[in-house]
Amino acid sequence: MPILQFHVSLPECSFPLWRRFQVTDDYRFDRFHQVVQLAMGWDNYHLHEFTIGDRRVGMVLDLNDDYPEPKDETKLRLRDFSLKPGDRMDYLYDFGDGWQHLIELESIIEGDLVVPFCLEGNGRCPIEDSGGMGGYLYALEALKDPNHPDRFFWGDEPPESYEDYNPEFFPIKEVNAELALFGAWHKKHPRAKSTPWHQI
């Protein structure tokens, strides 16, 4: 089965924040969304959408407004787009904060990939609801200054001590453990919708 190797990044970040991962081409876009979420480290709290050329793929919300709906992500697979190495797509997560990701297909190989797998990466996933890239970078600056009025942006109990917080750390073992769980669910429930998969 074709294995697609992707590179996903947040290009607006002031330091390299990216992942390189592999997934088989049979993944529907609602499930590919889950793989991107897990690889990056997001919590899947918000809406999302892919843009591939002039085609939009995402969640169909039936809002009945003047904004055209994207193509239904539960009905399209990666293989349906005949992607080639070098092809790119945009992935927008959280329409309010506007986390704009760039996804590039690096290579296609034949093989037997049991579950999606992250090869490498750099950078901690930004904090949900931090106000987009500008808000997140501002929070990181505040974190460095013990006298900054916004130093406690993350509340009284940050993920780890403020002094040891490293925004460029990438917890690859934890990411691959989550991807393995999702890959097993993907195989067990081939027709179920998967947004969010862990609540099904």
Side-chain angles (χ1 to χ4, degrees), residues 132-150:
M133 189 58 72
Y136 177 61
L137 294 176
Y138 174 79
L140 293 181
E141 286 300 314
L143 201 60
K144 298 176 184 177
D145 181 359
N147 299 314
H148 198 288
D150 293 328

Side-chain angles (χ1 to χ4, degrees), residues 39-105:
M40 289 300 299
W42 294 115
D43 292 324
N44 196 23
Y45 289 158
H46 303 283
L47 301 178
H48 63 273
E49 183 174 282
F50 295 91
T51 303
I52 307 165
D54 59 356
R55 301 173 70 181
R56 294 166 47 237
V57 179
M59 306 167 71
V60 176
L61 303 174
D62 295 321
L63 297 178
N64 296 318
D65 57 14
D66 295 331
Y67 191 66
E69 293 277 16
K71 298 297 183 183
D72 189 347
E73 63 180 10
T74 68
K75 296 180 179 179
L76 291 168
R77 299 176 187 272
L78 289 169
R79 63 168 60 130
D80 295 332
F81 284 79
S82 301
L83 297 171
K84 305 179 299 298
D87 286 349
R88 295 182 172 188
M89 67 180 85
D90 292 317
Y91 171 71
L92 177 62
Y93 172 60
D94 186 347
F95 295 173
D97 278 4
W99 298 104
Q100 190 69 58
H101 302 65
L102 176 63
I103 302 176
E104 180 178 354
L105 177 59

Side-chain angles (χ1 to χ4, degrees), residues 115-156:
V115 295
F117 185 74
C118 187
L119 299 165
E120 55 185 338
N122 188 78
R124 188 185 298 269
C125 184
I127 304 299
E128 296 273 2
D129 300 318
S130 56
M133 189 58 72
Y136 177 61
L137 294 176
Y138 174 79
L140 293 181
E141 286 300 314
L143 201 60
K144 298 176 184 177
D145 181 359
N147 299 314
H148 198 288
D150 293 328
R151 185 164 188 257
F152 292 97
F153 176 84
W154 287 299
D156 294 332

